[in-house]
Amino acid sequence: MKVSLTVIKADIGSIGGHIIPGERLKARVRDYIEDKGTKLIHDFRISSTGDDIAILFSHSRGEGDADIHKLAWDAFKAGTELAKEMGLYGAGQDLLKDAFSGNVKGMGPAVAEMEFEERPNEPFLFFAADKTDPGAYNLPLYLGFCDPMYNSGLILSPKMASGFRFNIMDVSYTEGDRVVSLNSPEEIYDIATLLRDNERFVVEKIYSKNSGEIAVSVSTTRLHNIAGRYTGKDDPVMLVRVQGDFPAAGEVLSPYAKGHYVAGFMRGSHNGPLMPVKQNSSISFFDGPPVVSCAAYCVHEGKLTEPADAFDHPFWDYVRNNVSRKAMDIRDQGFSGPAMLGYDELEYGGIVKNMKKIDKKFKVRK
Ligand code: 13P
Ligand code: 13P
Ligand code: MG
Ligand code: MG
């Protein structure tokens, strides 16, 4: 059967700063969907990553379905009411528009979706990251889909020998979706040329060239393009099908052992290493380090298994310790140079205002 996976994620309020939404808030979102959504969907799961709540739906209505999007929007609205009642910090933070207009894209929440013919067994990974932006997935996707050092299946499995097609979006373009389609392995230098710039170019979709099937879908929202000012980082979600024509689960996961530096961290204005964490875990230290969680599932006739928490394994404790050290290394230099984002990316208006003020005091010496 044809199945659609949709994940919609929003920050609708959190406890003690941008830390964690808490069980009561998640229960409100879950109850809303159980109450109002059962006819529309096959199955769903609620989880949190840092201060963000994600709803993973399995259904048969395709991508961009107005009713599915409205269900998520209304569940987040219901959650926001409770967040306000409880006095949670940033209640309704990511719901940037007042009225729902057919699709949550461009309204604040992050969305990743894919539709496919279900295989007899259909394993997939659901990633959610907090205190960072969609470009955080660029390097792990490049390594997991283009590099035999991380994906041994590229040389061991004939099904992957022909490689993958990447759709890459220019997220600085605001007039519409500006996208380029590039093939791996033929064009990997071009793919790398774009993906090195995590703030401008973001992987949107990846397809298997062997079967033409969808492998990856990433949320590409940039909140400051919607709100015109800082409202929070664009904490991204991603779906990845694995095994068979696609990389094995471990080939997709292995690049996360790197803890590569990404944009985000405190006030969305710094660089920090991406730490793989368990689902439903919180944020600490310097509103970071940026974190990523991953739940592995199988979907069968639309029904989801229980999640297997991919980063809940002793191996990742070792990685987390290394990433903590990398976080300390970059925090050692405070606001200086690469520790803070470049002027164009600074999410807070304060520095921009300050610069305007100081600029007037400059004198040019001839
Ligand atoms: P496939 O079943 O996709 O061939 O996966 C082999 C495997 O388990 C690699 O780790
Ligand atoms: P969130 O985008 O996760 O809400 O974090 C915002 C922030 O400013 C953290 O310091
Ligand atoms: Mg927040
Ligand atoms: Mg967040």
Side-chain angles (χ1 to χ4, degrees):
M1 73 182 258
K2 236 185 184 160
V3 69
S4 311
L5 297 176
T6 296
V7 48
I8 303 185
K9 178 243 69 167
D11 178 344
I12 53 168
S14 49
I15 301 172
H18 297 277
I19 295 181
I20 194 166
E23 286 309 315
R24 262 187 83 190
L25 192 55
K26 279 197 279 184
R28 172 64 62 94
V29 174
R30 185 180 295 115
D31 291 348
Y32 187 92
I33 291 164
E34 245 153 36
D35 196 31
K36 299 281 185 346
T38 40
K39 286 208 186 71
L40 217 52
I41 58 177
H42 298 311
D43 211 350
F44 78 104
R45 294 286 181 274
I46 304 284
S47 58
S48 63
T49 302
D51 62 359
D52 301 319
I53 298 180
I55 314 171
L56 169 65
F57 295 110
S58 147
H59 58 99
S60 287
R61 305 174 68 92
E63 284 187 41
D65 181 76
D67 293 332
I68 296 288
H69 281 230
K70 184 167 189 327
L71 177 61
W73 179 262
D74 289 344
F76 285 135
K77 277 275 181 202
T80 297
E81 273 171 37
L82 176 66
K84 284 183 178 157
E85 261 167 60
M86 292 173 70
L88 294 189
Y89 186 71
Q93 179 186 286
D94 285 356
L95 307 186
L96 299 179
K97 303 276 154 102
D98 294 327
F100 180 73
S101 62
N103 191 310
V104 295
K105 252 185 205 163
M107 301 185 70
V111 190
E113 299 186 275
M114 48 168 67
E115 183 185 34
F116 49 83
E117 194 62 47
E118 215 185 70
R119 296 172 287 173
N121 53 75
E122 186 60 64
F124 71 93
L125 307 176
F126 154 50
F127 289 86
D130 188 36
K131 306 296 182 267
T132 185
D133 59 24
Y137 297 127
N138 280 1
L139 181 62
L141 286 174
Y142 175 82
L143 297 174
F145 283 81
C146 304
D147 187 346
M149 292 285 284
Y150 291 82
N151 180 347
S152 57
L154 292 172
I155 52 179
L156 293 174
S157 160
K159 289 176 170 177
M160 278 195 281
S162 48
F164 295 91
R165 182 163 60 83
F166 282 63
N167 282 4
I168 298 171
M169 189 184 283
D170 176 355
V171 293
S172 68
Y173 189 80
T174 50
E175 306 296 303
D177 290 348
R178 187 164 183 262
V179 181
V180 66
S181 203
L182 294 170
N183 288 304
S184 164
E186 303 88 313
E187 300 172 294
I188 48 166
Y189 294 165
D190 294 342
I191 293 174
T193 299
L194 298 183
L195 296 190
R196 63 155 212 96
D197 187 347
N198 293 334
E199 304 325 301
R200 174 153 184 208
F201 298 107
V202 171
V203 176
E204 179 204 30
K205 295 245 159 90
I206 301 178
Y207 298 89
S208 157
K209 275 158 59 189
N210 187 45
S211 62
E213 285 281 304
I214 178 95
V216 173
S217 178
V218 184
S219 65
T220 50
T221 335
R222 297 236 48 191
L223 292 177
H224 74 222
N225 291 346
I226 304 169
R229 65 189 151 79
Y230 181 75
T231 57
K233 210 61 192 163
D234 316 301
D235 305 326
V237 286
M238 169 167 78
L239 295 164
V240 184
R241 294 169 78 195
V242 291
Q243 308 296 139
D245 285 328
F246 312 117
E251 287 162 346
V252 177
L253 294 173
S254 64
Y256 292 88
K258 209 175 268 310
H260 66 302
Y261 288 107
V262 297
F265 227 157
M266 177 61 73
R267 298 176 190 274
S269 304
H270 296 80
N271 283 307
L274 185 65
M275 180 182 279
V277 296
K278 297 170 198 178
Q279 274 206 306
N280 308 306
S281 56
S282 66
I283 294 294
S284 188
F285 182 40
F286 191 64
D287 281 9
V291 296
V292 60
S293 69
C294 175
Y297 286 96
C298 285
V299 58
H300 188 60
E301 293 170 355
K303 290 286 169 201
L304 295 164
T305 57
E306 63 187 279
D309 194 330
F311 295 133
D312 184 2
H313 182 280
F315 171 79
W316 297 101
D317 291 335
Y318 168 78
V319 169
R320 284 188 275 270
N321 285 334
N322 286 340
V323 172
S324 296
R325 203 195 52 238
K326 287 185 72 167
M328 290 302 290
D329 286 348
I330 194 141
R331 285 313 318 134
D332 258 357
Q333 68 178 66
F335 58 77
S336 178
M340 209 182 252
L341 294 185
Y343 191 71
D344 287 350
E345 277 301 320
L346 279 182
E347 301 271 3
Y348 270 75
I351 269 217
V352 179
K353 261 195 199 152
N354 242 357
M355 277 296 286
K356 277 192 187 135
K357 190 187 77 195
I358 303 164
D359 204 56
K360 293 191 193 113
K361 298 185 183 168
F362 272 91
K363 292 195 173 74
V364 180
R365 199 182 292 144
K366 293 270 163 59

